[in-house]
Amino acid sequence: MTFISPSKIVRSYPDYLKRLRESLGTSVERLDFIGSIQANGKNYPIPKLVFGKGNPGRILISAGIHGDEPAGVETLLAFLKEKRFQKYPNELTLLPCLNPTGYELGTRNNHADKDLNREFKLNAPSPEVSLIRNEFKNPFDLTLELHEDVDSHGYYLYQKEKSATIGDLGRKILSRVETVMPVNMDSEIDGMEANQGVLSRLSDPGEMDWWPMALFSYSRKTRICFTLETSVKFPMATRVNAHLSALDAAITGFHDKEEAD
Ligand SMILES: [Zn+2]
């Protein structure tokens, strides 16, 4: 059993769960859990919410796989509080805090010092990753992952898609975000070639030694996967608004493309 020193805790996970319940209000009966992990003799349930079950166009929105990137977690609390899920005709699944011990410690890695977003190809990954992978038994059409970047001076995203039909959706998302936060227009971001804030993942999952959640998602037949990155150089409220704008642009843009096909 891994020991988490109470002096290292920067945020309370029970407080987060309380805020999650409060954000849900009358929708609190929707709160489910994909399972729990154990650390320091404590139980950390990993929350899940589904809205519009059975509706066409299955969308997954996730946050908090890196515990030191709290804007994504805050974004989904706001998304729920503002009942934004009511706006969309799709089946929406939310995994709003994937790394509870990292969240509590304020660390990228979990309590066992594992970067969960590097373990999606492992045969025996951390328990959190096993629980997340179970959620992909039925394919999603669109997955949206909320992250943050400490080095970037603006917003950007990674895009991976099955066909070229949704090719400009990444740019559409960023033109919405631009009204809230500048987009990183560098020609190279995080060591990859970038096109006006869009990083296209070129390699196929089979070519890679390790997978982030987005490539696992892609390998499980998700048609389009976005990893959305705010810049932490802005206040939390700006980062949350940037992510909320990106989610809205992604979901409405995806829906409009579907209607047009
Ligand atoms: Zn991250």
Side-chain angles (χ1 to χ4, degrees):
M1 186 154 304
T2 311
F3 180 70
I4 297 177
S5 164
S7 66
K8 288 189 176 166
I9 289 175
V10 299
R11 289 185 282 264
S12 156
Y13 193 64
D15 281 357
Y16 164 72
L17 291 175
K18 186 164 169 272
R19 290 176 65 211
L20 179 60
R21 287 193 167 87
E22 286 166 359
S23 302
L24 282 162
T26 52
S27 305
V28 73
E29 79 266 9
R30 304 249 177 207
L31 182 57
D32 196 2
F33 297 93
I34 61 173
S36 298
I37 57 154
Q38 314 294 322
N40 193 27
K42 286 199 286 181
N43 191 42
Y44 293 84
I46 301 176
K48 170 186 177 178
L49 294 143
V50 180
F51 300 98
K53 192 159 180 57
N55 289 349
R58 295 190 77 226
I59 298 173
L60 172 66
I61 311 173
S62 66
I65 198 162
H66 290 140
D68 59 347
E69 300 174 8
V73 176
E74 294 298 319
T75 298
L76 293 186
L77 287 171
F79 185 92
L80 292 168
K81 192 170 185 184
E82 295 167 14
K83 302 214 179 296
R84 286 177 176 246
F85 49 85
Q86 290 179 345
K87 188 178 164 187
Y88 307 113
N90 311 89
E91 181 181 303
L92 280 188
T93 300
L94 269 64
L95 297 174
C97 192
L98 291 173
N99 177 6
T101 58
Y103 175 84
E104 199 167 64
L105 294 165
T107 56
R108 176 181 177 92
N109 295 353
N110 74 354
H111 60 285
D113 202 23
K114 299 288 187 194
D115 185 341
L116 302 179
N117 210 28
R118 297 289 178 273
E119 292 198 341
F120 280 79
K121 203 178 187 178
L122 295 182
N123 288 329
S126 298
E128 296 91 328
V129 173
S130 298
L131 293 171
I132 298 164
R133 291 200 305 205
N134 288 343
E135 297 303 307
F136 285 83
K137 280 177 185 144
N138 295 317
F140 290 99
D141 295 295
L142 170 68
T143 57
L144 300 162
E145 296 171 30
L146 303 178
H147 284 255
E148 303 209 72
D149 189 327
V150 291
D151 298 317
S152 179
H153 51 81
Y155 202 96
Y156 67 93
L157 58 82
Y158 295 87
Q159 176 172 326
K160 181 80 179 164
E161 64 195 302
K162 289 277 179 213
S163 68
T165 54
I166 332 183
D168 61 346
L169 187 52
R171 263 313 303 164
K172 283 191 176 148
I173 293 169
L174 292 175
S175 45
R176 276 285 293 284
V177 169
E178 250 161 1
T179 63
V180 180
M181 177 186 285
V183 167
N184 184 335
M185 300 297 263
D186 295 352
S187 58
E188 190 183 302
I189 302 172
D190 202 22
M192 278 178 68
E193 187 187 328
N195 179 14
Q196 296 185 300
V198 176
L199 284 71
S200 299
R201 294 186 193 272
L202 297 175
S203 42
D204 275 315
E207 299 166 22
M208 288 188 66
D209 296 335
W210 60 271
W211 290 347
M213 186 173 160
L215 282 187
F216 175 77
S217 173
Y218 184 79
S219 79
R220 290 299 164 100
K221 301 190 165 45
T222 301
R223 289 162 52 203
I224 183 158
C225 311
F226 285 110
T227 305
L228 304 165
E229 302 268 358
T230 67
S231 161
V232 301
K233 300 190 195 309
F234 293 85
M236 180 59 84
T238 308
R239 286 139 65 194
V240 166
N241 282 330
H243 268 337
L244 286 172
S245 303
L247 290 179
D248 187 54
I251 300 169
T252 52
F254 178 76
H255 186 70
D256 291 347
K257 291 277 186 192
E258 293 285 286
E259 297 276 285
D261 282 350

